[in-house]
Amino acid sequence: MSAGPASSGSTLVVSHGAGRAVRLATGILLIVWFALPFLPLVLWAGADRWSFPSPLPTAWGTRGLVAAEGFGAVSAFVTSTVLAVTVAAIATPLGALAARALTFGSVPWPRAVAALLLSPIALPPFAAVLGVNVVLLRTYVPPVAGTVLVLVVLALPYTAFVMRTAYGAYDMSYEENARLLGASRRDVLLRVQVPLLAPAFARAAFLAFLVAWSDYLVTVIVGAGELVTLPLVVAGAAAAVGNDAAVAVMSLAAIIPPIVLLLATVSLGRRRSTPTAATPAATAIPPTPERIPA
């Protein structure tokens, strides 16, 4: 009689261990799959000379780093970072506002509005940017402001639909309870809505950052040479011969911010998914003495 439960328990243990091994092996394979293309970049970044048919660089050094600095990679990196952060800071709250209105029925013809938000993805980028650039030139919009404006429009579909998914699972009773306790609209926004939707805000900001960080077309056409970002410098260096080491260094530098933001976004999502991370509105807005009825 006792052999059955023991046998069943051992089977569960073995099954659980096998599933963990499969997940671990799958994770390692995925990491190798995504990291393998960057191996030549790492080798080129530290190579002073790499002659065929040698499988590894024949001379190591910092020639690529010096050449990348000579191309203006540092200033371009700073410009790209400021541009991407600015676009994310504007597109994320705008996308959240649009998503909230679409989710809770605050706008007429929600399907038409959703299609309009999605249109920047559906339109051919080159034709759309050229057409918008003519309008910006005729209205005397500065190139830098025009670039930010166009990139915000291109990022809005991503931020709006990420936030719409989050608002679809959002419980409005938290806000209602906070309002009943006497919280102002600002308190509800900062101490209820933003904490509860922090992972979604992080994902939306991450996508908006990527749109601006990796952009080339808008910066070239609308920026009119006033914004020299890292993709422009990499493309210019890659168009010439003999700049492999510098291009590798700048390409690796372009990978760092998205990876850091991705890890931060994943970490935030994991922390917020724990039971202690979710704070109900009733405890998020503690009543002050004047809010407690006599």
Side-chain angles (χ1 to χ4, degrees), residues 6 17 19 37 70 137 141 176 214 226:
L137 290 174
V141 176
E176 295 169 357
S214 59
E226 293 194 14

Side-chain angles (χ1 to χ4, degrees), residues 3 9 61 70 78 85 113 122 145 161 201 269 274 290:
V78 173
V85 170
V113 174
F161 284 92
F201 278 110
T274 57
E290 59 271 15

Side-chain angles (χ1 to χ4, degrees), residues 92-93 96-97 100 163 166-167 170-171 174-175 185-203 268 272 277-279 281 284-285:
T92 302
L97 290 174
R100 186 181 176 93
M163 294 306 301
Y167 278 115
Y170 182 65
D171 190 353
Y174 287 160
E175 295 189 12
R185 292 184 180 272
R186 182 175 179 273
D187 288 334
V188 171
L189 174 64
L190 297 181
R191 303 182 65 181
V192 178
Q193 185 179 160
V194 171
L196 289 176
L197 296 176
F201 278 110
R203 291 192 296 269
L268 177 63
R272 297 296 299 177
T279 304
I285 310 291

